Each structure stands twice: as C-alpha cells, then as structure tokens.
Coordinates of all heavy atoms in Angstrom, one line a residue:
M25 N 67.8 22.7 -6.8 CA 66.9 23.8 -7.1 C 65.6 23.2 -7.6 O 64.6 23.4 -7.1 CB 67.6 24.7 -8.1 CG 66.6 25.8 -8.5 SD 66.7 27.1 -7.4 CE 65.7 28.4 -8.3
F26 N 65.8 22.3 -8.6 CA 64.5 21.7 -9.2 C 63.8 20.8 -8.1 O 62.7 20.7 -8.2 CB 64.9 20.9 -10.4 CG 65.2 21.8 -11.6 CD1 66.4 21.8 -12.2 CD2 64.2 22.6 -12.2 CE1 66.8 22.6 -13.3 CE2 64.4 23.5 -13.3 CZ 65.8 23.5 -13.7
R27 N 64.7 20.1 -7.5 CA 64.2 19.3 -6.3 C 63.3 20.1 -5.4 O 62.2 19.6 -4.9 CB 65.2 18.6 -5.6 CG 64.9 17.4 -4.8 CD 66.1 16.7 -4.2 NE 66.0 15.4 -4.1 CZ 66.9 14.5 -3.9 NH1 68.2 15.0 -3.5 NH2 66.6 13.2 -3.7
R28 N 63.8 21.2 -4.9 CA 63.0 21.9 -3.9 C 61.7 22.5 -4.6 O 60.7 22.6 -3.9 CB 63.8 23.2 -3.4 CG 65.0 22.8 -2.5 CD 65.7 24.0 -1.9 NE 66.6 23.6 -0.9 CZ 67.6 24.4 -0.6 NH1 67.7 25.6 -1.0 NH2 68.6 23.9 0.3
A29 N 61.8 22.9 -5.9 CA 60.6 23.4 -6.6 C 59.5 22.3 -6.7 O 58.4 22.5 -6.5 CB 61.0 24.0 -7.9
F30 N 60.1 21.0 -6.9 CA 59.1 19.9 -7.1 C 58.5 19.7 -5.8 O 57.2 19.5 -5.8 CB 59.9 18.7 -7.6 CG 59.1 17.4 -7.4 CD1 58.1 17.2 -8.4 CD2 59.3 16.6 -6.4 CE1 57.4 16.0 -8.3 CE2 58.5 15.4 -6.2 CZ 57.5 15.1 -7.3
W31 N 59.2 19.5 -4.7 CA 58.6 19.3 -3.4 C 57.6 20.4 -3.0 O 56.7 20.2 -2.3 CB 59.6 19.0 -2.3 CG 60.3 17.6 -2.7 CD1 61.5 17.3 -3.0 CD2 59.5 16.3 -2.4 NE1 61.7 15.9 -3.2 CE2 60.5 15.4 -2.9 CE3 58.2 16.0 -2.2 CZ2 60.0 14.0 -3.0 CZ3 57.8 14.7 -2.2 CH2 58.8 13.6 -2.5
F32 N 58.0 21.7 -3.3 CA 57.2 22.7 -2.9 C 55.9 22.7 -3.6 O 54.8 22.9 -2.9 CB 57.9 24.1 -3.2 CG 57.0 25.3 -3.0 CD1 56.9 25.8 -1.7 CD2 56.4 25.9 -4.0 CE1 56.1 26.9 -1.4 CE2 55.6 27.1 -3.7 CZ 55.5 27.5 -2.4
T33 N 56.0 22.4 -4.9 CA 54.8 22.2 -5.7 C 53.8 21.1 -5.2 O 52.7 21.2 -5.1 CB 55.2 22.1 -7.2 OG1 56.0 23.2 -7.6 CG2 53.8 22.1 -8.0
A34 N 54.5 19.9 -4.9 CA 53.9 18.8 -4.5 C 53.1 19.1 -3.1 O 52.0 18.7 -2.9 CB 54.8 17.6 -4.3
G35 N 53.8 19.9 -2.2 CA 53.2 20.2 -1.0 C 52.0 21.2 -1.1 O 51.0 21.1 -0.4
A36 N 52.3 22.0 -2.0 CA 51.2 23.0 -2.2 C 50.0 22.4 -2.8 O 48.8 22.6 -2.4 CB 51.7 24.2 -3.2
A37 N 50.2 21.4 -3.8 CA 49.0 20.7 -4.4 C 48.4 19.9 -3.3 O 47.1 19.8 -3.3 CB 49.5 19.9 -5.5
A38 N 49.1 19.2 -2.4 CA 48.5 18.3 -1.4 C 47.8 19.2 -0.3 O 46.7 18.8 0.1 CB 49.5 17.6 -0.6
G39 N 48.2 20.4 -0.1 CA 47.5 21.4 0.9 C 46.2 21.7 0.1 O 45.2 21.8 0.9
V40 N 46.2 22.2 -1.1 CA 45.0 22.5 -1.8 C 43.9 21.4 -1.9 O 42.8 21.6 -1.6 CB 45.3 23.1 -3.2 CG1 44.0 23.2 -4.0 CG2 46.1 24.4 -3.2
W41 N 44.5 20.2 -2.1 CA 43.6 19.1 -2.2 C 43.0 18.8 -0.9 O 41.7 18.6 -0.7 CB 44.5 17.8 -2.7 CG 43.6 16.5 -2.6 CD1 42.7 16.1 -3.5 CD2 43.6 15.6 -1.6 NE1 42.2 14.9 -3.2 CE2 42.7 14.5 -2.0 CE3 44.3 15.3 -0.3 CZ2 42.5 13.4 -1.1 CZ3 44.1 14.3 0.4 CH2 43.3 13.2 0.0
A42 N 43.8 18.8 0.3 CA 43.2 18.6 1.7 C 42.2 19.7 2.0 O 41.2 19.3 2.6 CB 44.4 18.4 2.5
T43 N 42.5 20.8 1.6 CA 41.6 22.0 2.0 C 40.3 21.8 1.3 O 39.2 22.0 1.9 CB 42.2 23.3 1.6 OG1 43.5 23.4 2.3 CG2 41.3 24.5 1.9
N44 N 40.4 21.3 0.0 CA 39.0 21.2 -0.7 C 38.3 20.1 -0.1 O 37.1 20.0 0.0 CB 39.3 20.9 -2.2 CG 39.6 22.2 -3.0 OD1 39.3 23.4 -2.5 ND2 40.4 22.1 -4.1
K45 N 39.0 19.0 0.2 CA 38.3 17.8 0.9 C 37.7 18.1 2.2 O 36.5 17.8 2.4 CB 39.4 16.8 1.0 CG 38.8 15.4 1.4 CD 39.4 14.4 0.6 CE 38.9 12.9 1.0 NZ 38.1 12.3 0.0
V46 N 38.3 18.9 3.0 CA 37.8 19.3 4.3 C 36.5 20.1 4.0 O 35.6 20.0 4.7 CB 38.9 20.1 5.1 CG1 38.2 20.7 6.3 CG2 39.9 19.0 5.6
H47 N 36.6 21.1 3.1 CA 35.5 22.0 2.9 C 34.3 21.3 2.4 O 33.1 21.6 2.7 CB 35.9 23.2 1.9 CG 36.7 24.2 2.5 ND1 36.2 25.1 3.5 CD2 37.9 24.6 2.3 CE1 37.1 25.9 3.9 NE2 38.1 25.7 3.2
R48 N 34.6 20.3 1.5 CA 33.4 19.4 1.0 C 32.7 18.6 2.1 O 31.6 18.6 2.2 CB 33.9 18.5 -0.1 CG 33.7 19.0 -1.4 CD 34.0 17.8 -2.5 NE 35.2 18.2 -3.1 CZ 36.3 17.4 -3.3 NH1 36.2 16.2 -2.8 NH2 37.4 18.0 -3.9
K49 N 33.6 18.2 3.1 CA 33.1 17.2 4.2 C 32.2 18.3 5.1 O 31.2 17.9 5.6 CB 34.2 16.7 5.0 CG 33.8 15.8 6.0 CD 33.1 14.6 5.3 CE 32.9 13.5 6.3 NZ 32.0 12.3 5.7
I50 N 32.8 19.4 5.3 CA 32.1 20.4 6.2 C 30.7 20.7 5.6 O 29.6 20.8 6.3 CB 32.9 21.6 6.4 CG1 34.1 21.4 7.4 CG2 32.0 22.8 7.0 CD1 35.1 22.5 7.6
R51 N 30.7 21.0 4.3 CA 29.4 21.3 3.6 C 28.4 20.2 3.7 O 27.2 20.4 3.8 CB 29.6 21.7 2.1 CG 29.9 23.2 2.0 CD 30.1 23.6 0.5 NE 31.5 23.6 0.3 CZ 32.1 23.1 -0.8 NH1 31.4 22.6 -1.9 NH2 33.4 23.2 -0.9
S52 N 29.0 19.0 3.6 CA 28.0 17.7 3.7 C 27.5 17.6 5.0 O 26.5 16.8 5.2 CB 28.7 16.5 3.2 OG 29.7 16.2 4.3
L53 N 28.0 18.1 6.1 CA 27.6 18.0 7.5 C 26.8 19.2 8.0 O 26.5 19.3 9.2 CB 28.8 17.8 8.5 CG 29.6 16.6 8.2 CD1 30.8 16.5 9.1 CD2 28.7 15.3 8.4
T54 N 26.2 20.1 7.1 CA 25.4 21.2 7.5 C 24.1 20.5 7.7 O 23.7 19.5 7.2 CB 25.3 22.2 6.3 OG1 24.8 21.6 5.2 CG2 26.7 22.9 6.0
P55 N 23.2 21.2 8.5 CA 21.9 20.8 8.8 C 21.0 20.5 7.7 O 20.3 19.5 7.6 CB 21.3 21.7 9.7 CG 22.5 22.4 10.4 CD 23.5 22.5 9.3
E56 N 21.1 21.4 6.7 CA 20.2 21.2 5.4 C 20.7 19.9 4.7 O 19.9 19.2 4.2 CB 20.5 22.5 4.5 CG 19.9 23.7 5.1 CD 20.9 24.4 6.0 OE1 22.1 24.1 6.0 OE2 20.5 25.3 6.8
S57 N 22.0 19.7 4.5 CA 22.5 18.6 3.8 C 22.1 17.3 4.5 O 21.8 16.4 3.9 CB 24.0 18.7 3.7 OG 24.6 17.5 3.0
L58 N 22.3 17.3 5.8 CA 22.0 16.1 6.6 C 20.4 15.8 6.5 O 20.0 14.7 6.4 CB 22.3 16.3 8.1 CG 23.8 16.3 8.3 CD1 24.0 16.6 9.8 CD2 24.5 15.0 7.9
A59 N 19.6 16.9 6.6 CA 18.2 16.7 6.4 C 17.8 16.2 5.0 O 16.9 15.3 4.9 CB 17.4 18.0 6.6
A60 N 18.5 16.6 4.0 CA 18.3 16.1 2.6 C 18.6 14.6 2.5 O 17.9 13.8 1.9 CB 19.0 17.0 1.6
K61 N 19.8 14.3 3.2 CA 20.1 12.8 3.1 C 19.2 12.0 3.8 O 18.9 10.9 3.4 CB 21.5 12.7 3.8 CG 22.7 13.2 2.9 CD 24.0 13.0 3.6 CE 25.2 13.7 2.8 NZ 26.4 13.6 3.6
A62 N 18.7 12.5 5.1 CA 17.7 11.7 5.8 C 16.4 11.6 5.0 O 15.8 10.5 5.0 CB 17.5 12.4 7.1
A63 N 16.0 12.6 4.4 CA 14.8 12.5 3.5 C 15.0 11.5 2.4 O 14.0 10.6 2.1 CB 14.5 13.9 3.1
D64 N 16.1 11.6 1.8 CA 16.3 10.6 0.7 C 16.3 9.1 1.2 O 15.8 8.3 0.5 CB 17.7 10.9 0.0 CG 17.6 12.2 -0.9 OD1 16.5 12.6 -1.1 OD2 18.8 12.7 -1.2
K65 N 17.0 8.9 2.3 CA 17.0 7.6 2.9 C 15.6 7.2 3.2 O 15.2 6.0 3.1 CB 17.9 7.5 4.1 CG 19.4 7.7 3.7 CD 19.9 6.6 2.9 CE 21.4 6.8 2.7 NZ 22.0 5.8 1.9
A66 N 14.8 8.1 3.8 CA 13.4 7.7 4.1 C 12.6 7.3 3.0 O 11.8 6.4 3.0 CB 12.8 8.8 5.0
L67 N 12.7 8.1 1.8 CA 12.0 7.8 0.7 C 12.4 6.5 0.1 O 11.6 5.7 -0.4 CB 12.2 8.9 -0.4 CG 11.6 10.2 -0.1 CD1 12.0 11.3 -1.2 CD2 10.1 10.1 -0.2
E68 N 13.8 6.2 0.2 CA 14.3 4.8 -0.3 C 13.6 3.8 0.4 O 13.2 2.6 -0.1 CB 15.7 4.8 -0.3 CG 16.4 5.6 -1.3 CD 17.9 5.7 -1.1 OE1 18.4 4.7 -0.5 OE2 18.6 6.5 -1.6
A69 N 13.6 3.9 1.8 CA 13.0 2.9 2.7 C 11.5 2.7 2.5 O 11.0 1.5 2.4 CB 13.3 3.2 4.2
G70 N 10.9 3.8 2.3 CA 9.4 3.7 1.9 C 9.2 3.0 0.6 O 8.3 2.2 0.5
D71 N 10.0 3.2 -0.4 CA 9.8 2.6 -1.6 C 10.2 1.1 -1.5 O 9.4 0.1 -2.0 CB 10.8 3.2 -2.7 CG 10.4 4.5 -3.2 OD1 9.2 4.9 -3.0 OD2 11.3 5.1 -3.8
R72 N 11.2 0.6 -0.6 CA 11.4 -0.7 -0.5 C 10.3 -1.3 0.3 O 10.0 -2.5 0.0 CB 12.8 -0.9 0.2 CG 13.9 -0.8 -0.6 CD 15.3 -1.2 0.1 NE 16.1 0.0 0.1 CZ 16.6 0.6 1.1 NH1 16.4 0.1 2.3 NH2 17.4 1.6 1.0
L73 N 9.8 -0.7 1.3 CA 8.6 -1.2 2.0 C 7.4 -1.4 1.2 O 6.7 -2.5 1.2 CB 8.3 -0.4 3.2 CG 7.4 -0.8 4.2 CD1 7.8 -2.1 4.9 CD2 7.2 0.2 5.3
R74 N 7.1 -0.4 0.3 CA 5.9 -0.6 -0.5 C 6.1 -1.8 -1.5 O 5.2 -2.5 -1.7 CB 5.8 0.7 -1.4 CG 4.4 0.7 -2.2 CD 4.3 2.0 -3.0 NE 4.6 3.2 -2.3 CZ 5.6 4.1 -2.6 NH1 6.5 3.6 -3.5 NH2 6.0 5.1 -1.8
T75 N 7.3 -1.9 -2.0 CA 7.7 -3.0 -3.0 C 7.5 -4.4 -2.2 O 6.9 -5.3 -2.7 CB 9.0 -2.9 -3.6 OG1 9.1 -1.6 -4.2 CG2 9.3 -4.0 -4.6
F76 N 8.0 -4.4 -1.1 CA 7.8 -5.6 -0.2 C 6.4 -5.9 0.0 O 6.0 -7.2 -0.1 CB 8.6 -5.4 1.1 CG 8.4 -6.6 2.0 CD1 9.1 -7.9 1.8 CD2 7.6 -6.6 3.2 CE1 9.0 -8.9 2.7 CE2 7.4 -7.5 4.0 CZ 8.1 -8.8 3.8
A77 N 5.6 -4.9 0.4 CA 4.2 -5.2 0.7 C 3.5 -5.7 -0.5 O 2.6 -6.6 -0.6 CB 3.5 -3.9 1.2
Q78 N 3.8 -5.1 -1.7 CA 3.1 -5.6 -3.0 C 3.6 -6.9 -3.3 O 2.7 -7.8 -3.7 CB 3.5 -4.6 -4.1 CG 3.0 -3.3 -4.0 CD 3.6 -2.2 -5.0 OE1 4.6 -2.5 -5.7 NE2 2.9 -1.1 -5.2
D79 N 4.8 -7.3 -3.1 CA 5.3 -8.8 -3.4 C 4.5 -9.7 -2.4 O 4.2 -10.7 -2.8 CB 6.7 -8.8 -3.0 CG 7.6 -8.1 -4.2 OD1 7.0 -7.8 -5.2 OD2 8.9 -7.9 -4.0
V80 N 4.4 -9.2 -1.1 CA 3.6 -10.1 -0.2 C 2.2 -10.3 -0.6 O 1.6 -11.4 -0.6 CB 3.8 -9.6 1.3 CG1 2.7 -10.3 2.3 CG2 5.1 -9.7 1.8
R81 N 1.5 -9.2 -0.9 CA 0.1 -9.4 -1.4 C 0.0 -10.1 -2.6 O -0.8 -11.0 -2.8 CB -0.4 -7.9 -1.8 CG -0.9 -7.2 -0.5 CD -1.7 -6.0 -0.9 NE -1.4 -4.9 -0.1 CZ -0.6 -3.8 -0.4 NH1 -0.2 -3.6 -1.7 NH2 -0.2 -3.0 0.4
A82 N 0.9 -10.1 -3.6 CA 0.9 -10.9 -4.9 C 1.1 -12.5 -4.5 O 0.4 -13.2 -5.0 CB 2.0 -10.4 -5.9
G83 N 2.1 -12.6 -3.6 CA 2.3 -14.0 -3.1 C 1.1 -14.6 -2.5 O 0.8 -15.8 -2.5
M84 N 0.4 -13.8 -1.6 CA -0.7 -14.3 -0.9 C -1.8 -14.6 -1.9 O -2.5 -15.7 -1.8 CB -1.2 -13.2 0.2 CG -0.4 -13.1 1.4 SD -0.8 -11.7 2.4 CE -2.6 -11.5 2.2
A85 N -2.0 -13.8 -2.9 CA -3.1 -14.0 -3.9 C -2.8 -15.3 -4.6 O -3.7 -16.1 -4.9 CB -3.2 -12.7 -4.7
E86 N -1.6 -15.5 -5.0 CA -1.1 -16.6 -5.8 C -1.4 -17.9 -5.0 O -1.9 -18.9 -5.5 CB 0.3 -16.5 -6.2 CG 0.8 -17.6 -7.1 CD 2.3 -17.4 -7.5 OE1 2.8 -16.3 -7.6 OE2 2.9 -18.4 -7.8
R87 N -0.9 -17.8 -3.7 CA -1.0 -18.9 -2.8 C -2.5 -19.3 -2.6 O -2.9 -20.5 -2.6 CB -0.3 -18.8 -1.6 CG -0.4 -20.0 -0.7 CD 0.3 -21.2 -1.3 NE 0.3 -22.3 -0.3 CZ 0.2 -23.6 -0.7 NH1 0.1 -23.9 -2.0 NH2 0.1 -24.5 0.1
E88 N -3.3 -18.3 -2.4 CA -4.8 -18.5 -2.2 C -5.4 -19.2 -3.4 O -6.1 -20.0 -3.3 CB -5.4 -17.2 -1.9 CG -6.8 -17.4 -1.6 CD -7.6 -16.1 -1.2 OE1 -6.9 -15.0 -1.1 OE2 -8.7 -16.1 -0.8
E89 N -4.9 -18.7 -4.7 CA -5.4 -19.3 -5.9 C -5.1 -20.7 -6.0 O -5.8 -21.7 -6.4 CB -5.0 -18.5 -7.0 CG -5.5 -18.9 -8.4 CD -5.0 -18.1 -9.5 OE1 -5.0 -16.9 -9.4 OE2 -4.6 -18.6 -10.6
Q90 N -3.8 -21.1 -5.6 CA -3.3 -22.4 -5.6 C -4.1 -23.3 -4.6 O -4.5 -24.4 -5.0 CB -1.8 -22.6 -5.3 CG -0.9 -22.0 -6.3 CD 0.5 -21.8 -5.7 OE1 0.8 -22.0 -4.6 NE2 1.4 -21.4 -6.6
L91 N -4.3 -22.8 -3.5 CA -5.2 -23.6 -2.5 C -6.5 -23.8 -3.0 O -7.0 -25.0 -2.8 CB -5.1 -22.9 -1.1 CG -3.7 -22.9 -0.4 CD1 -3.8 -22.0 0.8 CD2 -3.3 -24.3 0.0
N92 N -7.2 -22.8 -3.5 CA -8.5 -22.9 -4.0 C -8.5 -24.0 -5.3 O -9.5 -24.8 -5.2 CB -9.1 -21.6 -4.5 CG -9.4 -20.7 -3.3 OD1 -9.8 -21.3 -2.2 ND2 -9.4 -19.4 -3.5
D93 N -7.4 -24.0 -6.0 CA -7.6 -24.9 -7.2 C -7.4 -26.5 -6.6 O -8.0 -27.3 -7.1 CB -6.3 -24.6 -8.1 CG -6.6 -23.4 -9.0 OD1 -7.7 -23.0 -9.0 OD2 -5.4 -22.9 -9.6
Q94 N -6.4 -26.4 -5.6 CA -6.3 -27.8 -5.1 C -7.5 -28.4 -4.3 O -7.8 -29.5 -4.3 CB -5.1 -27.7 -4.0 CG -3.8 -27.7 -4.7 CD -2.5 -27.5 -3.6 OE1 -2.8 -27.4 -2.4 NE2 -1.3 -27.4 -4.1
L95 N -8.3 -27.4 -3.8 CA -9.5 -27.8 -3.1 C -10.7 -27.9 -4.0 O -11.8 -28.4 -3.5 CB -9.8 -26.8 -1.8 CG -8.7 -26.8 -0.8 CD1 -9.2 -25.7 0.3 CD2 -8.8 -28.1 0.0
G96 N -10.5 -27.5 -5.2 CA -11.6 -27.6 -6.2 C -12.6 -26.5 -6.0 O -13.7 -26.6 -6.4
H97 N -12.2 -25.4 -5.4 CA -13.1 -24.1 -5.2 C -13.0 -23.2 -6.3 O -12.0 -23.1 -6.9 CB -12.9 -23.4 -3.9 CG -13.2 -24.2 -2.7 ND1 -14.1 -23.9 -1.8 CD2 -12.6 -25.4 -2.1 CE1 -14.2 -24.8 -0.8 NE2 -13.3 -25.7 -1.0
T98 N -14.1 -22.6 -6.7 CA -14.0 -21.5 -7.6 C -14.4 -20.3 -6.8 O -15.0 -20.3 -5.7 CB -14.9 -21.6 -8.7 OG1 -16.3 -21.9 -8.4 CG2 -14.5 -23.0 -9.6
A99 N -14.3 -19.2 -7.5 CA -14.7 -17.8 -6.8 C -16.2 -17.9 -6.5 O -16.6 -17.2 -5.5 CB -14.3 -16.7 -7.7
T100 N -17.0 -18.5 -7.4 CA -18.3 -18.4 -7.0 C -18.9 -19.4 -5.9 O -19.8 -19.3 -5.4 CB -19.3 -18.7 -8.3 OG1 -18.8 -20.0 -8.9 CG2 -19.0 -17.6 -9.4
D101 N -18.0 -20.4 -5.9 CA -18.2 -21.4 -4.8 C -18.0 -20.9 -3.4 O -18.7 -21.4 -2.4 CB -17.4 -22.7 -4.9 CG -17.6 -23.5 -6.1 OD1 -18.8 -23.2 -6.7 OD2 -16.9 -24.3 -6.6
L102 N -17.2 -20.0 -3.3 CA -16.8 -19.5 -1.9 C -17.9 -18.5 -1.4 O -18.2 -17.6 -2.0 CB -15.5 -18.8 -2.0 CG -14.2 -19.5 -2.5 CD1 -13.0 -18.7 -2.6 CD2 -14.0 -20.6 -1.6
D103 N -18.4 -18.9 -0.2 CA -19.4 -17.9 0.4 C -18.5 -17.1 1.5 O -18.1 -17.7 2.5 CB -20.4 -18.8 1.2 CG -21.4 -19.6 0.2 OD1 -21.5 -18.9 -0.9 OD2 -21.7 -20.7 0.5
M104 N -18.5 -16.0 1.2 CA -17.7 -15.1 2.0 C -18.8 -14.5 3.0 O -19.9 -14.3 2.6 CB -17.2 -13.7 1.2 CG -16.2 -14.2 0.2 SD -14.7 -15.1 0.9 CE -13.9 -13.8 1.5
P105 N -18.3 -14.3 4.3 CA -19.3 -13.7 5.2 C -19.6 -12.3 4.9 O -18.8 -11.6 4.2 CB -18.4 -13.8 6.5 CG -17.1 -13.8 6.1 CD -17.0 -14.6 4.7
A106 N -20.8 -12.0 5.3 CA -21.3 -10.6 5.1 C -20.4 -9.5 5.8 O -20.0 -9.9 7.0 CB -22.7 -10.4 5.4
P107 N -20.2 -8.4 5.3 CA -19.4 -7.4 6.1 C -20.2 -7.0 7.3 O -21.4 -7.1 7.4 CB -19.3 -6.3 5.1 CG -20.3 -6.4 4.1 CD -20.6 -7.9 4.0
R108 N -19.4 -6.7 8.4 CA -20.0 -6.4 9.6 C -20.7 -5.0 9.5 O -20.2 -4.1 8.8 CB -19.0 -6.4 10.7 CG -18.5 -7.8 11.1 CD -17.7 -7.8 12.3 NE -16.3 -7.5 12.1 CZ -15.4 -7.2 12.8 NH1 -15.7 -7.1 14.2 NH2 -14.2 -6.8 12.7
P109 N -21.7 -4.7 10.2 CA -22.3 -3.5 10.2 C -21.4 -2.4 10.9 O -20.7 -2.8 11.8 CB -23.7 -3.7 10.8 CG -23.6 -4.8 11.7 CD -22.5 -5.8 11.1
A110 N -21.6 -1.3 10.4 CA -20.8 -0.2 11.1 C -21.3 0.0 12.4 O -22.5 0.0 12.7 CB -20.9 1.0 10.3
I111 N -20.4 0.3 13.3 CA -20.8 0.6 14.7 C -21.1 2.1 14.8 O -20.4 3.0 14.4 CB -19.6 0.2 15.7 CG1 -19.3 -1.2 15.6 CG2 -19.9 0.7 17.0 CD1 -18.1 -1.6 16.3
T112 N -22.4 2.4 15.3 CA -22.7 3.8 15.5 C -22.8 4.1 17.1 O -23.3 3.1 17.8 CB -24.0 4.2 14.9 OG1 -25.0 3.2 15.3 CG2 -23.8 3.9 13.4
Y113 N -22.4 5.3 17.5 CA -22.6 5.5 18.9 C -23.6 6.5 19.0 O -23.8 7.5 18.4 CB -21.2 6.1 19.3 CG -20.1 5.1 19.3 CD1 -19.2 5.1 18.3 CD2 -19.9 4.3 20.4 CE1 -18.2 4.2 18.3 CE2 -18.9 3.4 20.3 CZ -18.1 3.4 19.3 OH -17.0 2.4 19.2
H114 N -24.6 6.2 20.0 CA -25.6 7.1 20.3 C -25.3 7.7 21.7 O -25.1 7.1 22.7 CB -27.0 6.4 20.5 CG -27.4 5.7 19.1 ND1 -27.8 6.4 18.1 CD2 -27.2 4.3 18.8 CE1 -28.0 5.6 17.0 NE2 -27.7 4.3 17.5
H115 N -25.3 9.0 21.8 CA -25.1 9.8 22.9 C -26.5 9.9 23.7 O -27.5 10.3 23.1 CB -24.5 11.1 22.6 CG -23.2 11.1 22.0 ND1 -22.0 10.6 22.7 CD2 -22.8 11.3 20.7 CE1 -21.0 10.8 21.9 NE2 -21.5 11.0 20.7
R116 N -26.3 9.8 25.0 CA -27.5 9.9 25.8 C -27.7 11.4 26.0 O -26.7 12.3 25.9 CB -27.3 9.4 27.3 CG -27.4 7.9 27.2 CD -27.6 7.4 28.5 NE -26.4 6.7 28.9 CZ -26.0 6.5 30.1 NH1 -26.6 6.8 31.1 NH2 -24.9 5.7 30.4
K117 N -28.9 11.9 26.0 CA -29.3 13.3 26.2 C -28.7 13.9 27.5 O -28.3 15.2 27.4 CB -30.8 13.5 26.2 CG -31.4 13.2 24.9 CD -32.9 13.4 24.9 CE -33.4 13.1 23.6 NZ -34.8 13.4 23.4
D118 N -28.5 13.2 28.6 CA -28.1 13.8 29.7 C -26.5 14.0 29.7 O -25.9 14.6 30.5 CB -28.4 13.1 30.9 CG -28.0 11.6 30.9 OD1 -27.8 11.0 29.8 OD2 -27.8 11.0 32.0
E119 N -25.8 13.4 28.8 CA -24.4 13.5 28.6 C -24.1 14.7 27.8 O -24.6 15.0 26.8 CB -23.7 12.3 27.9 CG -23.8 11.0 28.8 CD -23.1 9.9 28.0 OE1 -22.5 10.1 27.0 OE2 -23.2 8.7 28.5
H120 N -23.0 15.5 28.2 CA -22.6 16.6 27.4 C -21.2 16.5 26.9 O -20.2 16.3 27.4 CB -22.8 17.8 28.2 CG -24.3 18.2 28.5 ND1 -25.1 18.7 27.6 CD2 -25.0 17.9 29.7 CE1 -26.3 18.8 28.1 NE2 -26.3 18.4 29.3

C-alpha cells in the first residue's frame, strides 16, 4: 500500500515538474521573448565591438607614439597635410 502511494506521488510530482518545464520552454519561444533575447544579444555584440574599437584606437595611438619617439619626432615637428577642401556641386541652370 505504501509502495503504491510512493510511486503514485513520485509520478504525480514528475508530471507536475515536466508540465512546468514544458510551459516555461513554450513561454521562452514566444515572439516577444525571442525578440527580447535577440535585442539583448545585439546590445552585447555592440558593446563588445565598441570595446574592441576602443582597444584598437588606443593601441594605434600607443604604437604611433612609440614610432615617433624612436624616430625622434615630436608633435610640433610633424607637418600634417592641410585638410582637403569640401567638395561643392554647382548645378547648371538648364538642369532641373
């Protein structure tokens, strides 16, 4: 008698556990949930990309400083080219 009650209770508990697990999985596969997960992943990827770009810029600046030190250049010694003039487009009067 106790053995049957034990197995009945164990089966009922397993059924409740499995039902809850299935319902949680179904809720996680709704379009809203999937969209939220995709947005979170996109934000994470953007953060990683931004951090990578900042690291690259910092490394470039550091390496440029090292090269300038090795060549004996200072910031005032470097003659940077003048910025290019902006391109302007003039429309002919006969064009519409």
Side-chain angles (χ1 to χ4, degrees):
M25 173 90 171
F26 287 113
R27 192 178 216 174
R28 285 186 182 166
F30 169 77
W31 287 113
F32 176 78
T33 305
V40 168
W41 175 80
T43 302
N44 285 337
K45 188 138 178 114
V46 166
H47 283 295
R48 264 189 251 130
K49 190 64 170 175
I50 288 172
R51 271 182 265 141
S52 74
L53 295 176
T54 61
E56 295 84 14
S57 178
L58 293 175
K61 284 180 188 177
D64 289 343
K65 294 292 182 184
L67 289 174
E68 288 175 19
D71 288 341
R72 279 191 240 122
L73 186 60
R74 186 180 321 106
T75 302
F76 175 72
Q78 290 170 346
D79 290 347
V80 168
R81 277 190 223 112
M84 285 173 34
E86 182 180 339
R87 183 62 180 146
E88 185 176 0
E89 186 178 319
Q90 290 172 353
L91 290 171
N92 286 333
D93 288 344
Q94 288 175 354
L95 295 172
H97 292 246
T98 61
T100 56
D101 291 344
L102 299 176
D103 290 328
M104 299 299 289
R108 290 193 275 170
I111 298 174
T112 57
Y113 294 98
H114 299 285
H115 295 287
R116 288 194 248 159
K117 290 182 180 181
D118 58 332
E119 289 183 10
H120 295 281

